[in-house]
Amino acid sequence: MSEAAAPRPAAGSAPGAASGSAFWADALLASFAQAGYLRSEPAILQPAEPFLDLSGEDIRKSLYLTTDPSGEELCLRPDLTIPVARDYLASSRAGQPAGFSYLGPVFRYRDGQPSQFLQAGIESFGRQDRAAADAEMLALALEATTAFGLTDVEIRTGDVALFNALIDALELYPVWRRRLIKDFNRKVSLTDDIEQLTLATAPGRNEYEGVLAALAGSDRKAALALVTDLMSIAGTTNVGGRTVAEIADRFLEQSTLKGGALPRDALATIKRFLAISGDPDDAIAQLRALAADARLDLAAAIDQFESRVGFMATRGIDIRKTRFATAFGRGLDYYTGFEFELHARGNGAEPLVAGGRYDGLMTQLGSASPIPAVGFSVWIEAMTRHGKAGAHGDTR
């Protein structure tokens, strides 16, 4: 990993004339370096396994894959967060607070768009002062937009940790907890699924009644062990293309529905929670009122949110112009807490910068103990389309 004392575009990263792209690249990397983030330049060729494990096999169709002589599957890096994290874990600084910046090409199949494109960003590892680190990421993301001549952006924020805390406090069956959190993270129709979970179970029995009764209310580990044993006895490892884990989850869903489904009061509380939006101070008041009315202990998650808002204000972020929504999520299992997007004013779909907290990633990548992590990515294509820097040479 190289220090960003002399910021420069990564080799081959900037299409067109080098002098054209240097205008925004130098400004962007200089702002990261001034904030103390070292330049990281991970290898372009990466092991494919971490991307497939963390994003699922669905990402395979977007990757550019190859195999080395030993049979290991490799890919051109589809993003930079995982490669930067892997380099950090392999370094002598692993486990210690450290921050890195990057600017370079990533490779991902995108229908109708170039498969090679630039990504910049920051990753911060090991800081225990999570609220302050979150606020710093948002402040630096806003600084990044100024490198492209953008000074009026919409700030959209959320916090999946609040939703997780709510679901935990409601003490739902483990299978419903996983299902609701998965829905929230992946931006599927959470509302429709919540309604489905309240439907009465059809009368009558089926041939799996005994197994369903044994699984009712159990955790996934116990269910998986039981289904694995049953399938082993039957001499099979999959049915109709479904894995043991998928079959266990299906049994868990059926058993939980047989046990009474999602309580109506829990449904009302979740709906009230997901309707909270506005500026962060108003949202905090609404969250505390909900917790008190529903007699739920959400204090730790709300306190962390409130602390973050305080650090945001200290960094000069106008809280009144910041939009918070409990239902806001970036559509990935990746995130564990604070999430945000910056948009050009009036542009609903395309973020300029996006990021958040992902405390679970380091253990998933092999760390023996959890390491806090937060960061963001700058979408260079969007920045150059919407910013004044687009007039300085980036012709894509």
Side-chain angles (χ1 to χ4, degrees), residues 134 158-162 164 308 335-339 356-359:
D134 289 350
D159 189 343
V160 66
L162 285 167
N164 293 352
R308 180 192 308 126
Y335 294 106
T336 59
F338 178 52
E339 300 178 64
R357 177 158 293 280
Y358 51 97
D359 285 350

Side-chain angles (χ1 to χ4, degrees), residues 196-278:
Q196 181 64 34
L197 302 190
T198 65
L199 296 177
T201 307
R205 300 173 63 86
N206 62 46
E207 67 258 52
Y208 305 123
E209 195 75 33
V211 176
L212 297 179
L215 292 176
S218 66
D219 63 22
R220 186 173 184 271
K221 184 177 180 180
L224 183 56
L226 176 58
V227 175
T228 301
D229 286 346
L230 291 173
M231 294 181 70
S232 177
I233 292 169
T236 184
T237 57
N238 63 75
V239 175
R242 290 188 295 171
T243 66
V244 171
E246 291 169 334
I247 294 168
D249 279 337
R250 178 58 178 159
F251 272 122
L252 273 169
E253 289 189 12
Q254 290 190 28
S255 66
T256 305
L257 280 171
K258 299 293 286 187
L262 190 66
R264 291 284 179 181
D265 56 347
L267 170 65
T269 300
I270 294 171
K271 284 186 172 181
R272 178 177 169 184
F273 173 89
L274 292 173
I276 294 173
S277 66

Side-chain angles (χ1 to χ4, degrees), residues 95-140:
Q96 303 173 21
F100 303 95
S101 64
Y102 53 84
L103 170 62
V106 294
F107 307 85
R108 192 186 314 159
Y109 175 77
R110 304 182 299 167
D111 189 23
Q113 300 182 70
S115 297
Q116 175 180 336
F117 55 100
L118 284 174
Q119 188 179 72
I122 279 179
E123 310 299 340
S124 174
F125 306 122
R127 286 183 58 173
Q128 299 296 331
D129 55 341
R130 287 173 171 81
D134 289 350
E136 181 171 306
M137 288 302 106
L138 181 55
L140 290 173

